[in-house]
Amino acid sequence: MTLQIPFDNSYAALPEGFFTRINPKPVAAPRLIHFNEALARDLGIEADASDPALAEMLAGNRIPDGADPLAQAYAGHQFGGFSPQLGDGRANLLGEVIDASGRRRDIQLKGSGPTPYSRMGDGRAWLGPVLREYVVSEAMHALGVPTTRALAAVETGEKVFRETGALPGAVLTRVADSHIRVGTFQFFLARRDLDRLRALFDYTRARHYPQAETPGEMLAGVIGRQARLIALWEGLGFIHGVMNTDNTTLSGETIDYGPCAYMDRYHPQTVFSSIDAQGRYSYANQAHVIVWNIAQLATCLVPLTPDQDLAVEEFTKLVHDMPALIAKYRSEVFARKIGLSAAQDGDDALVDDLLALMQQDGADFTNTFRSLGDGAPRDQFTDRDAFDAWHARWQARLKHETDPEAVMRAANPYVIPRNHRIEQMIAAARDGDYAPFDRLMTALASPYETRDEFADLTRPPLPEERVQQTFCGT
């Protein structure tokens, strides 16, 4: 067998209305681009990457034994506007496996053809967004951020048509702790379907929060995971770009790398997404938006409680306390970035003053923090006197630390998937050259390690290389 997946499916056993059973639509000429063998082993998947038939299964032309393909239903707030029915318009959940650590993981094909939720779309993906998600999601995993993973990418041998014309098609095989979203709960609340809403709560609680006994306890668990996730994003200068409620997971993973990007020059209001005209999902707004999104989840959970007035009071307090929790995690993340093993009073001001200097001078986010531990940070600034004053305060604080350089090296990556490098990689792949993709994958597998052979990947973009906008790629 080319591909043996030990499926153990549970979502497919939920009642009618949670999904539509549908097979992926076959493609013309699938060809494997990349197969994540290390992840496959962790998932208990046996595969022969050299067998051309593997691409047939990962493109959806053949259904693996034990799979139960389906498209999931969900709703969601998109840029603040509610859509009562969204769903997997170009994705297909093949099934689930239990990995080496005992976690249940979804295996999903993305770009696998139209479904009842496609909303006039073609259900396909083009090569660029598939490679972007592959690179960035695997980089996020290596950076220590909860995220979906990439198991494989396959060319389809077909063209997809977008505003820019005909583009090469591709399919991504995505792995997630689950694809349950805030929007999944909103789907049933919008229909006032309390039976299925409760079934979804019971399933989600058992899968992700088995210690939770009540909706309030599960809500607190989701808040904790999402608060930590946002702090980790901020610590990397990461901007998701489309933080709709249908892209907010109950598992606490980063999902859907559409118009995502990492900042080069630091500015808190940085936006890349071409569809975020108002800056709703800017870097600085992410901490506010996630609270709003979780408030929508809280609204969905209220009808499941025996005393709804009491639940509103309890859930409101949990949501109102969330900004302070995000701030706590942020303090911990940024304390490590400047070499502090634990945050203390006054450390936030030290960090914020550095960020203000970076904003003023247009300093590179990643390189400035990395240079604090193993470089010449003064060179990142034009106002050297202002930096010197900050540096003196910082050095006085570091006198209480035993090994700040080690703390900083573990907290500040040497290399990240910069936008201009991703665009260059995609352009090469469109011409059939996957060497830049392979090189990025190698460099990003160990992002905290200084390696001179990848020094060019740490360089900020030249003016003509700057990526001003990113796109969803649907």
Side-chain angles (χ1 to χ4, degrees), residues 282-449:
S282 69
Y283 173 81
N285 281 352
Q286 294 179 134
H288 306 301
V289 169
I290 194 61
V291 177
W292 193 91
N293 287 358
I294 294 301
Q296 311 317 306
L297 174 63
T299 300
C300 295
L301 297 177
V302 168
L304 303 180
T305 62
D307 186 334
Q308 294 189 18
D309 290 338
L310 185 62
V312 168
E313 182 179 345
E314 175 192 353
F315 295 177
T316 298
K317 184 178 187 307
L318 286 171
V319 172
H320 285 181
D321 288 347
M322 191 176 179
L325 185 60
I326 296 171
K328 172 181 176 293
Y329 283 130
R330 178 189 182 275
S331 295
E332 294 172 356
V333 166
F334 277 90
R336 292 191 293 271
K337 290 181 76 66
I338 62 170
L340 308 177
S341 56
Q344 298 179 7
D345 289 345
D347 291 343
D348 283 347
L350 192 62
V351 168
D352 290 342
D353 288 346
L354 175 62
L355 290 172
L357 289 175
M358 291 167 60
Q359 179 180 345
Q360 171 187 301
D361 282 8
D364 184 81
F365 184 89
T366 300
N367 290 350
T368 297
F369 279 106
R370 182 70 180 195
S371 69
L372 292 176
D374 66 358
R378 194 170 186 264
D379 293 345
Q380 301 290 327
F381 297 87
T382 56
D383 189 345
R384 303 285 176 83
D385 291 341
F387 176 75
D388 289 345
W390 180 88
H391 189 270
R393 293 165 53 204
W394 177 52
Q395 289 300 302
R397 175 66 178 85
L398 288 185
K399 289 180 180 179
H400 304 285
E401 298 293 326
T402 56
D403 193 356
E405 288 78 14
V407 173
M408 285 184 280
R409 283 194 298 272
N412 297 314
Y414 174 70
V415 61
I416 58 168
R418 292 181 182 268
N419 295 333
H420 66 297
R421 294 300 186 187
I422 290 176
E423 292 302 322
Q424 291 166 5
M425 173 268 293
I426 291 172
R430 288 184 63 179
D431 291 334
D433 178 9
Y434 285 100
F437 169 81
D438 293 334
R439 186 166 185 259
L440 270 180
M441 292 298 298
T442 301
L444 294 166
S446 303
Y448 294 99
E449 182 181 344

Side-chain angles (χ1 to χ4, degrees), residues 15 49 51 54 77 220 231 267 313 320 339 342 429:
D51 188 340
L54 178 63
H77 278 92
H267 195 292
E313 182 179 345
H320 285 181

Side-chain angles (χ1 to χ4, degrees), residues 64-88:
D65 292 341
D68 196 350
L70 56 89
Q72 292 175 298
Y74 51 84
H77 278 92
Q78 299 189 311
F79 291 88
F82 185 64
S83 296
Q85 180 164 305
L86 297 171
D88 288 335

